[in-house]
Amino acid sequence: MPNLTDLPFQAAAKVQQLAERGSAELHYARKMFEAGALKLDPQIMITMLADIRRWGEFGMIPALNARRSPGRTAIIDDDGEITFKELDEAAHAVANGLLAKGVKGGDGVALLIRNHRWFLIALYGAARVGARLILLNSEFSGPQIKEVSEREGAKVIIYDDEYTSAVAASEPPLGKLRALATNPDSDEPSGSADETLTDLIARNAKTPAPKATQHSKIIILTSGTTGTPKGANRSTPPSLAPVGGVLSHVPFKAGEVTSLPAPMFHALGFLHATIAMMLGCTLVLRRKFKPATVLADLEKYQVTAIVVVPVMLSRLLDELEKTEPKPDLSKLRIVFVSGSQLGAELATRALKDLGPVVYNLYGSTEIAFASIARPEDLQKNPSTVGPVVKGITVKLLDDNGNEVPRGEVGRIFVRNTFPFEGYTGGGGKAIIDGMMSSGDVGYFDEHGLLYVSGRDDEMIVCGGENVFPAEVEDLISGHPEVVEATAIGVEDKEWGHRLRAFVVKIEGASVDEDAIKRYVKENLARYKVPREVVFLEELPRNPTGKILKRELKDMTVGGAE
């Protein structure tokens, strides 16, 4: 039985938690009104709420924009432009077509689509049916596509023509559809006989889809940097936090133009596609990330915001450095970065080359987001991931679940109003007192800024001292003759464990293994000096820019035991 003396304290804590949540929701609403995502127009608000009841929070978005600004350009991609009215009508036709194929609310619809208009048309069409939206990684192999789509219960797979061979072994019960009908990278036809979305739209009514039997869910797959990608199950939250939380730290505004190189199948790209569409912004999308094209887009379309993962930012800065004449980036107010660790060296370089426009979001597929570093935070310390977003709780706990003092490293636990519902195959992250582990360790400084020291499963004990690879990676990456670096733990007879560093040198660099070791020794403790330094042409990465450390662990290194 519960201890009755504890009940008043539990009730008081619950009341306080509800009050804090109410305050946060009001804060989010205010930020959304200020940004222009919500407008004080009774008729628009009434119809928006009616559309949410009809198609859910995702399915209603194109209708909201078609009503507010039907003729405004919604998407610019490699095939031209489409308006919000055209996007809304196409989504209705896809929804009606999917219903005719037998797709029902709760059925899985898998998307294997690059960044272009058909991703959003397919997404919103399937959302209006109430489907479970399964966002497949564009780099999946054929066996992975088959395994994941079957595991997640996909009744239909919608794919770009270039993936015809990759999806050949998959046989979803209600068939397959092609999004982009041709492969621009090949002169040879794919031979696919699957119907295209263009044809599906042509033979189905563009009238509003009927009310969905249930609201859609999103299945975003984890990065799979340490194994098979897992499906992260997340419903549409009863909260304004996903949009309002970001807007509370980042000054996105309605009706502007955003470049989105980050892949939309990933949490970062999907989050921002949703924010941009809620704001009625024009999205500039390209099938493939090409730094020169992106820089040209920034100038041509007077882009005010760009959303990238760190490796994309690094390559954009490299391209900017060699581009003459320099593009006019005077309209660019926001460089929104997430997806992997930004690092102090890259943050400093971006602030220097682009100005005080860099915003760094810390989060993951499971926890969504916890903190956002603004330019003023990064100028204080470029290593920070910023202050905690209002309405979100972040605590740093030791191995016994006790909160650690400020300045000390602890495991990062997060609680928000849009919780991760567990992996679709079962299991989840560690939870303590309603807070979920991010899988990272870090600390707070005296300003309340959060720092991520590294992954809690990557820490090694070297000579009795805890060592996190991220600190050494960031230092080596700042060497003037190094493009980038990473590190992993390996066994060491003398120290127990030491780090092995993998380094990409700049072209023509003369730096060698001894020089890298000496550089680390001059800047960090002796036990943090890598045991070996391995030079590579490039680091293995997934499409979102995360380094595939499992491939590095499997790599045979000369002289390694």
Side-chain angles (χ1 to χ4, degrees):
M1 289 184 61
N3 186 339
L4 296 181
T5 60
D6 289 340
L7 293 180
F9 299 103
Q10 293 171 356
K14 185 67 174 177
V15 169
Q16 182 181 1
Q17 194 175 67
L18 289 173
E20 290 174 352
R21 177 169 179 178
S23 173
E25 292 297 331
L26 287 173
H27 176 73
Y28 301 149
R30 180 169 63 85
K31 291 299 181 181
M32 291 176 71
F33 276 114
E34 289 174 357
L38 301 175
K39 296 185 183 296
L40 292 173
D41 183 320
Q43 188 58 42
I44 285 180
M45 294 297 290
I46 290 168
T47 52
M48 182 182 77
L49 292 173
D51 288 343
I52 290 174
R53 286 194 295 271
R54 191 171 191 178
W55 302 306
E57 288 81 351
F58 293 122
M60 74 86 186
I61 291 175
L64 173 66
N65 288 318
R67 194 173 293 115
R68 292 190 302 198
S69 48
R72 179 175 171 79
T73 300
I75 299 166
I76 300 169
D77 64 8
D78 296 315
D79 290 330
E81 303 179 5
I82 64 168
T83 65
F84 282 114
K85 182 175 187 291
E86 291 168 333
L87 174 61
D88 184 47
E89 290 177 344
H92 278 313
V94 168
N96 291 324
L98 290 174
L99 288 166
K101 288 176 70 68
V103 179
K104 303 185 297 296
D107 285 348
V109 174
L111 308 184
L112 183 62
I113 308 174
R114 288 189 185 269
N115 278 23
H116 48 70
R117 68 186 64 184
W118 293 110
F119 184 102
L120 293 175
I121 291 170
L123 177 90
Y124 292 132
R128 285 176 171 171
V129 178
R132 293 171 59 252
L133 299 159
I134 305 158
L135 308 186
L136 297 176
N137 189 314
S138 63
E139 296 298 311
F140 277 179
S141 64
Q144 281 181 308
I145 293 168
K146 178 177 172 61
E147 176 192 353
V148 172
S149 59
E150 289 178 353
R151 185 189 72 202
E152 303 297 340
K155 295 291 184 68
V156 173
I157 297 177
I158 306 177
Y159 67 96
D160 281 347
D161 184 76
E162 66 181 283
Y163 303 117
T164 296
S165 297
V167 301
S170 300
E171 297 180 357
L174 299 179
K176 293 176 278 191
L177 291 163
R178 279 184 293 159
L180 193 61
T182 59
N183 179 4
D185 299 328
S186 175
D187 295 329
E188 298 295 323
S190 68
S192 173
D194 293 323
E195 184 178 21
T196 66
L197 288 183
T198 299
D199 292 337
L200 185 76
I201 289 169
R203 64 180 182 81
N204 281 278
K206 295 179 180 178
T207 52
K211 182 178 180 180
T213 56
Q214 58 182 275
H215 291 181
S216 63
K217 290 187 175 184
I218 304 294
I219 307 298
I220 294 180
L221 296 163
T222 61
S223 298
T225 52
T226 57
T228 302
K230 300 174 183 177
N233 198 7
R234 197 180 290 278
S235 298
T236 308
S239 168
L240 299 174
V243 176
V246 172
L247 294 178
S248 69
H249 281 224
V250 190
F252 293 112
K253 296 293 182 184
E256 296 190 332
V257 182
T258 297
S259 171
L260 181 56
M264 290 188 288
F265 66 74
H266 183 254
L268 170 64
F270 181 81
L271 169 67
H272 193 73
T274 303
I275 292 173
M277 289 290 103
M278 277 296 298
L279 289 170
C281 290
T282 299
L283 276 179
V284 181
L285 304 174
R286 299 297 179 191
R287 281 182 62 246
K288 293 186 175 181
F289 173 66
K290 297 177 181 177
T293 301
V294 173
L295 288 178
D297 285 341
L298 297 182
E299 180 176 52
K300 180 178 180 180
Y301 300 110
Q302 298 190 339
V303 169
T304 55
I306 183 170
V307 181
V308 289
V309 297
V311 68
M312 289 177 172
L313 176 58
S314 177
R315 291 173 184 170
L316 282 170
L317 295 177
D318 290 343
E319 185 68 27
L320 181 62
E321 189 175 297
K322 66 184 182 183
T323 300
E324 292 295 345
K326 301 298 182 190
D328 178 5
L329 305 182
S330 58
K331 296 291 185 181
L332 188 65
R333 299 187 299 107
I334 300 166
V335 177
F336 191 56
V337 190
S338 187
S340 60
Q341 189 161 333
L342 175 60
E345 187 274 335
L346 181 55
T348 300
R349 183 184 176 199
L351 290 169
K352 175 179 174 292
D353 292 353
L354 300 174
V357 297
V358 181
Y359 296 79
N360 180 27
L361 178 144
Y362 169 61
S364 70
T365 304
E366 294 86 356
I367 67 169
F369 56 84
S371 64
I372 302 175
R374 303 154 298 186
E376 58 265 35
D377 303 317
L378 294 169
Q379 287 169 335
K380 285 180 183 175
N381 191 322
S383 297
T384 186
V385 294
V388 175
V389 173
K390 184 177 177 63
I392 294 175
T393 299
V394 176
K395 291 188 177 181
L396 308 182
L397 308 180
D398 62 21
D399 291 339
N400 297 318
N402 300 313
E403 195 165 0
V404 302
R406 177 163 291 189
E408 290 190 16
V409 173
R411 299 165 66 201
I412 300 174
F413 280 77
V414 180
R415 178 171 58 233
N416 54 38
T417 55
F418 44 110
F420 167 60
E421 299 175 356
Y423 297 117
T424 51
K429 290 282 189 179
I431 296 177
I432 297 177
D433 192 25
M435 299 179 296
M436 179 178 293
S437 167
S438 72
D440 293 321
V441 292
Y443 63 94
F444 282 109
D445 70 6
E446 67 275 16
H447 304 292
L449 300 179
L450 180 63
Y451 297 78
V452 177
S453 302
R455 299 291 297 172
D456 58 7
D457 57 359
E458 288 183 356
M459 186 195 80
I460 65 170
V461 179
C462 180
E465 301 284 351
N466 294 342
V467 180
F468 295 97
E471 180 184 17
V472 180
E473 293 169 352
D474 203 34
L475 175 70
I476 298 175
S477 295
H479 189 285
E481 293 189 79
V482 170
V483 175
E484 58 181 349
T486 192
I488 59 174
V490 295
E491 291 186 4
D492 185 280
K493 289 180 179 178
E494 180 182 358
W495 294 86
H497 283 85
R498 290 287 284 272
L499 294 177
R500 176 179 295 154
F502 296 84
V503 176
V504 179
K505 298 187 288 187
I506 65 172
E507 188 175 349
S510 59
V511 67
D512 58 13
E513 181 174 10
D514 289 339
I516 293 293
K517 289 181 177 180
R518 188 166 55 252
Y519 181 69
V520 175
K521 188 176 181 180
E522 290 170 352
N523 289 277
L524 298 174
R526 180 188 171 199
Y527 56 83
K528 296 180 181 180
V529 176
R531 178 183 172 184
E532 300 108 0
V533 178
V534 180
F535 292 98
L536 301 175
E537 291 295 321
E538 62 181 5
L539 299 179
R541 296 180 183 273
N542 70 8
T544 59
K546 289 189 177 180
I547 297 168
L548 298 172
K549 291 197 174 184
R550 68 175 184 273
E551 292 190 11
L552 297 175
K553 288 178 180 178
D554 293 338
M555 186 179 295
T556 301
V557 177
E561 296 178 5

